[in-house]
Amino acid sequence: QVQLKETGPGLVQPTQTLSITCTVSGFSLTSYYMQWVRQTPGKGLEWMGFIRSGGSTEYNSEFKSRLSISRDTSKNQVFLKMNSLKTEDTGVYYCARDQGLGAYYFDYWGQGVMVTVSS
Amino acid sequence: DTVLTQSPALAVSPGERVTISCRASESVSTLMHWYQQKPGQQPKLLIYLASNLESGVPARFSGSGSGTDFTLTIDPVEADDTATYYCQQSWNDLTFGSGTKLEIK
């Protein structure tokens, strides 16, 4: 069955870089777009960006300058890296499967990883 | 950005019909989707493309609307439907509403 699971550091210091891995099973990354969404106390649910089945990426302009999404199809993993973290980046980060090739809604989500930005 | 506006909270009794609204700041055609999020859980897709029921979601849930005004209806409501409901548009980038918290009395 389809499963997604995020793993990440939990605590990150301000100005540092966040790295989260999303490991998927039950489907191929070469057949689906993969999305990243976060949920923060200040802004609620926010779309961050996605990686297409072919490997190209698109980012929310709000994060574009400091966000990078990549993948390793051999390991069934998608990666999020965001630099210059601020306390306002504290929240839960989700990876989600796009229902189709650019359907832009999400039929499977990981359980999320809580990230706290604090010194 | 396309802003989605939802009422913050609703309270209904089991067996009643409830409608949850979402208004977009500009037309999004029918590119509107609905999710349910229970405390401590990830969002779950209920309705896609305004009115299509996601596989496995009970037929008590339905969606309607186009343009700027959309509605998620639950009929009849059950105690397990206690959750926050979010709309999401995919017409202009991707944005979410702020959520409607549904309480079952």
Side-chain angles (χ1 to χ4, degrees), chain B:
Chain B
D1 281 4
T2 304
V3 176
L4 303 180
T5 301
Q6 298 183 248
S7 52
L10 287 171
V12 298
S13 299
E16 291 185 346
R17 177 177 185 266
V18 65
T19 58
I20 297 170
S21 64
C22 177
R23 173 163 287 177
S25 60
E26 60 181 324
S27 175
V28 299
S29 184
T30 58
L31 300 183
M32 184 66 77
H33 325 290
W34 291 93
Y35 300 86
Q36 176 194 66
Q37 187 178 34
K38 296 182 178 180
Q41 296 186 16
Q42 66 271 51
K44 173 187 173 183
L45 179 66
L46 300 174
I47 301 287
Y48 61 93
L49 298 173
S51 61
N52 295 276
L53 189 67
E54 173 67 354
S55 175
V57 174
R60 304 183 291 106
F61 293 87
S62 62
S64 64
S66 66
T68 61
D69 291 301
F70 297 85
T71 299
L72 172 71
T73 300
I74 312 172
D75 186 14
V77 165
E78 297 181 358
D80 187 54
D81 298 333
T82 296
T84 301
Y85 293 84
Y86 295 93
C87 53
Q88 175 239 321
Q89 64 81 25
S90 54
W91 174 260
N92 178 12
D93 277 348
L94 308 177
T95 56
F96 290 85
S98 55
T100 297
K101 189 171 185 177
L102 180 63
E103 176 196 343
I104 313 302
K105 300 175 197 172

Side-chain angles (χ1 to χ4, degrees), chain A residues 16-93:
Chain A
Q16 297 300 302
T17 297
L18 172 65
S19 296
I20 300 174
T21 298
C22 172
T23 304
V24 309
S25 59
F27 67 98
S28 173
L29 293 177
T30 60
S31 297
Y32 288 87
Y33 290 21
M34 288 297 297
Q35 305 270 359
W36 286 95
V37 176
R38 76 176 187 178
Q39 189 167 28
T40 64
K43 292 195 171 182
L45 288 166
E46 286 184 285
W47 168 70
M48 300 183 73
F50 64 81
I51 185 165
R52 294 185 176 90
S53 52
S56 61
T57 54
E58 294 286 345
Y59 302 115
N60 184 332
S61 57
E62 179 151 342
F63 305 105
K64 194 168 186 176
S65 62
R66 57 191 187 113
L67 179 63
S68 174
I69 297 172
S70 59
R71 69 182 186 180
D72 183 336
T73 55
S74 67
K75 294 183 177 179
N76 295 320
Q77 291 179 327
V78 184
F79 308 107
L80 176 146
K81 287 190 191 305
M82 188 163 71
N83 59 33
S84 306
L85 284 191
K86 307 166 235 184
T87 56
E88 308 92 271
D89 294 316
T90 293
V92 181
Y93 287 72

